[in-house]
Amino acid sequence: MKPRILLAYYSMTGHTRDIAEELRSALQADVEEIREPHPRRGLRGVLRALFDAVLRREPPIGTPRHDPAVYDLLAMGGPVWAGRMASPLRSYARQLAERAPRVAFFCTEGGRGAEQAFDDLGRLCGKIPEATLVVDAQHLPPGLHLDTLQRFVAKLGRERPTPGH
């Protein structure tokens, strides 16, 4: 039986949302979009995002609709801001990720910082990810990240062996 997967993501510009939609379709996953009560817009939103990321803040987020504890795996994703994971995703991870039996991470980034962001997420949820996916700005068009996305999906979509088998 295929694992039940919850895909939780935050997206400010829509790039991560696009990747999350591709993953949702490929994994047949339920989706949880992480939302903030005060969305980040314009230059002020970008500056707030950078400060929050650098200071590792955990801003308030909306109440999630899905409980990660009822899924086999939680795949979390968001953009990398200033070498750190997006603050709303940090909030989600702190509040809910420990409830998930297994985790995987994905991100979009302009340049670099994914490894540090994934390390930080791993510490927040107390788990090592089963798989990671990085889509940088050069590879945002679907045809340019298809291979790496398919490898990520293959790792997450396989069945878990039952103990003793």
Side-chain angles (χ1 to χ4, degrees):
M1 186 161 74
K2 289 181 79 164
R4 287 197 63 212
I5 298 173
L6 175 60
L7 187 68
Y9 74 92
Y10 172 81
S11 184
M12 187 170 91
T13 63
H15 296 307
T16 304
R17 178 179 296 110
D18 293 343
I19 300 300
E21 280 301 313
E22 289 180 59
L23 290 170
R24 180 202 56 76
S25 178
L27 293 165
Q28 299 173 1
D30 289 341
V31 174
E32 181 78 59
E33 182 175 2
I34 301 164
R35 297 180 186 264
E36 296 182 281
H38 306 288
R40 299 163 195 264
R41 295 196 196 330
L43 179 60
R44 190 172 189 194
V46 170
L47 292 174
R48 193 171 112 222
L50 293 174
F51 279 110
D52 284 353
V54 168
L55 298 173
R56 289 189 166 96
R57 290 183 181 149
E58 294 172 14
I61 57 174
T63 303
R65 298 174 323 188
H66 299 89
D67 180 357
V70 302
Y71 292 86
D72 300 312
L73 183 129
L74 170 63
M76 294 184 291
V80 174
W81 295 337
R84 305 251 182 358
M85 190 52 75
S87 299
L89 185 59
R90 289 180 53 76
S91 297
Y92 182 90
R94 169 84 67 202
Q95 294 173 25
L96 296 157
E98 74 176 15
R99 298 178 53 81
R102 299 166 31 226
V103 296
F105 306 146
F106 65 97
C107 73
T108 55
E109 66 176 6
R112 61 184 194 276
E115 291 308 314
Q116 180 176 339
F118 290 159
D119 287 347
D120 195 27
L121 264 185
R123 280 190 296 279
L124 283 169
C125 58
K127 293 176 179 63
I128 296 170
E130 298 209 357
T132 60
L133 169 66
V134 178
V135 179
D136 63 23
Q138 293 177 348
H139 295 92
L140 281 173
L144 299 180
H145 63 256
L146 184 60
D147 289 343
T148 54
L149 188 131
Q150 287 177 336
R151 283 193 298 274
F152 181 74
V153 165
K155 288 179 184 177
L156 302 185
R158 67 177 171 233
E159 296 178 30
R160 292 282 291 187
T162 54
H165 291 99

